[in-house]
């Protein structure tokens, strides 16, 4: 075989390999971010104040399962907020930069009228972003649909918050699903679990795994 033909054949094979290769994970929402170090001390449970943790929360080393009833007490005796069983992430409150929350969530069918995840800290409202579930749809607050038909399946959620740009983006299973503006204030942190909203079911549950916090390089 002539040398130039051999070279052309090799080049064609290399091009074919590149074209058929699967998309690089580096192009996903975590590209350019570095995960921070998390230990159990960074996961602060908020649950009905009159209940032991085991009555509303379990963790098997992989999956964090949180549930609450609409008739439960708030997380503090003096609080007038609705019932919740949530993880408040500590140690990484932020007021600048670009931060990201990542986690896989499973919502059992029947759970509705509940917040699954929050970017806490807002101007006129307490939060900059909340992801609610209504009748199997993941929503931005009780407004725009982010993902339909989330019951009884695992989905991976990534929420990116650019403080300086006052901008948030939400990805589901690596696909961009929502862009939204920030809501002011200069201190934020992440929460996830179940937090009762209006028109809720009597029992609400979410299960989480592979939770990470990342910061843009």
């Amino acid at each position: 075989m002539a040398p130039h033909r051999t070279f052309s054949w090799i080049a064609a094979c290399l091009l074919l390999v590149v074209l058929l290769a699967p998309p690089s994970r580096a192009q996903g929402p975590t590209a350019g971010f570095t995960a921070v170090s998390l230990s159990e001390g960074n996961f602060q449970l908020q649950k009905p104040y009159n209940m032991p943790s085991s009555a509303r929360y379990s963790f098997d080393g992989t999956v964090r399962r949180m549930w609450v009833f609409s008739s439960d007490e708030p997380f503090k005796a003096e609080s007038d907020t609705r019932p919740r069983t949530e993880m408040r992430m500590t140690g990484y409150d932020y007021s600048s930069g670009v931060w990201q929350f990542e986690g896989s969530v499973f919502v059992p069918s029947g759970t509705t009228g509940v917040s699954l995840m929050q970017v806490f800290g807002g101007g006129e409202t307490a939060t900059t972003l909340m992801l609610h579930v209504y009748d199997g749809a993941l929503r931005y607050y009780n407004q725009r649909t982010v993902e339909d038909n989330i019951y009884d399946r695992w989905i991976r959620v990534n929420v990116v918050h650019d403080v300086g740009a006052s901008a948030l983006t939400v990805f589901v299973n690596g696909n961009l699903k929502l862009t939204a503006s920030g809501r002011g204030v200069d201190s934020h942190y992440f929460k996830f679990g179940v937090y009762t909203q209006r028109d809720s079911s009597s029992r609400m549950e979410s299960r989480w795994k592979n939770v990470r916090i990342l910061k843009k390089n």
Side-chain angles (χ1 to χ4, degrees):
M1 184 180 288
H4 72 279
R5 291 183 180 177
T6 301
F7 177 80
S8 298
W9 181 81
I10 293 173
C13 289
L14 290 174
L15 178 61
L16 185 62
V17 168
V18 170
L19 292 175
L20 295 179
S24 170
R25 285 183 60 84
Q27 300 307 309
T30 61
F33 287 77
T34 299
V36 303
S37 177
L38 294 177
S39 68
E40 280 304 298
N42 298 111
F43 293 81
Q44 181 184 85
L45 182 65
Q46 296 181 343
K47 44 78 179 176
Y49 75 86
N50 61 336
M51 293 283 182
S53 298
S54 60
R56 295 293 182 268
Y57 170 72
S58 69
F59 180 44
D60 63 6
T62 301
V63 176
R64 299 178 191 274
R65 180 171 166 249
M66 288 164 276
W67 64 99
V68 75
F69 292 87
S70 58
S71 57
D72 279 343
E73 296 292 333
F75 76 111
K76 292 180 180 179
E78 66 275 15
S79 174
D80 61 358
T81 59
R82 292 171 175 172
R84 73 185 74 197
T85 305
E86 288 187 302
M87 284 294 176
R88 191 276 205 220
M89 300 306 296
T90 66
Y92 294 101
D93 293 15
Y94 60 93
S95 57
S96 62
V98 184
W99 292 79
Q100 181 172 173
F101 171 91
E102 179 181 66
S104 294
V105 61
F106 181 100
V107 180
S109 59
T111 290
T112 192
V114 66
S115 170
L116 297 183
M117 186 270 169
Q118 303 181 45
V119 178
F120 196 83
E124 295 182 2
T125 58
T127 60
T128 283
L129 177 138
M130 296 179 83
L131 295 178
H132 292 184
V133 173
Y134 287 98
D135 299 322
L138 185 68
R139 294 183 178 275
Y140 171 70
Y141 293 91
N142 62 346
Q143 302 165 22
R144 286 176 279 171
T145 298
V146 177
E147 178 80 355
D148 274 321
N149 303 314
I150 71 164
Y151 282 154
D152 301 326
R153 65 184 178 104
W154 287 99
I155 60 171
R156 188 177 78 255
V157 175
N158 294 76
V159 177
V160 180
H161 185 193
D162 185 333
V163 179
S166 190
L168 299 107
T169 52
V170 178
F171 298 80
V172 176
N173 294 332
N175 299 310
L176 178 62
K177 294 289 186 172
L178 174 78
T179 59
S181 299
R183 297 190 172 200
V185 88
D186 58 1
S187 182
H188 304 278
Y189 55 83
F190 298 121
K191 303 183 78 175
F192 66 95
V194 281
Y195 177 27
T196 307
Q197 303 299 308
R198 63 188 180 190
D199 300 320
S200 72
S201 49
S202 60
R203 186 184 186 279
M204 295 146 276
E205 179 181 338
S206 69
R207 305 167 195 170
W208 289 84
K209 63 182 180 180
N210 303 327
V211 170
R212 300 197 297 167
I213 293 175
L214 306 96
K215 190 176 189 299
K216 194 170 183 64
N217 300 334

